[in-house]
Amino acid sequence: METKQVLAALAALAQESRLAIFRLLIQAGPAGLPAGKVGEELGIASSALSFHLKELSHAGLVTARQEGRFVIYTAQFDTMSELVGFLTENCCAGVPCGINASSGACPPPSAKR
């Protein structure tokens, strides 16, 4: 992932409503949610929701698809994975350490290769 893409994604997520929208869409999984349901769940007015979804879309974090009268938004799991990978690629001084997902910490120095 290029630095410019990372900055766009982080900037998009650095706003309370957009972060909440993205987290809700992550929870919804690949099926996504209609825009109206997103607004209803989070208490965001449709005009503000439209703006936030556009920002997330421009950052490559969500996609939209038409299903009949509804626009369904889905989190871009590939982009999210690339972003997390970019942020953690040099953890533990660049030594592959197999971060423990439950603790989020690198193993003690003696356990490193």
Side-chain angles (χ1 to χ4, degrees), residues 58-71:
H58 285 313
L61 293 167
V62 302
T63 58
R65 70 180 186 280
Q66 192 77 36
E67 284 189 9
R69 300 181 345 194
F70 301 100
V71 178

Side-chain angles (χ1 to χ4, degrees), residues 25-91:
L25 293 174
I26 289 292
Q27 291 171 9
L33 289 172
K37 181 71 171 171
V38 173
E40 180 183 306
E41 288 282 326
L42 299 175
I44 300 174
S46 60
S47 59
L49 180 64
S50 176
F51 170 77
H52 292 310
L53 287 167
K54 177 185 66 84
E55 291 296 312
L56 290 167
S57 180
H58 285 313
L61 293 167
V62 302
T63 58
R65 70 180 186 280
Q66 192 77 36
E67 284 189 9
R69 300 181 345 194
F70 301 100
V71 178
I72 309 296
Y73 285 88
T74 306
Q76 285 295 99
F77 293 92
D78 291 345
T79 303
M80 179 189 66
S81 294
E82 288 178 27
L83 179 60
V84 170
F86 178 89
L87 294 172
T88 60
E89 72 184 347
N90 293 316
C91 80

Side-chain angles (χ1 to χ4, degrees), residues 12-37:
L13 293 172
Q15 198 282 338
E16 188 175 353
S17 294
R18 288 193 290 272
L19 182 59
I21 292 166
F22 186 70
R23 293 188 73 203
L24 180 64
L25 293 174
I26 289 292
Q27 291 171 9
L33 289 172
K37 181 71 171 171

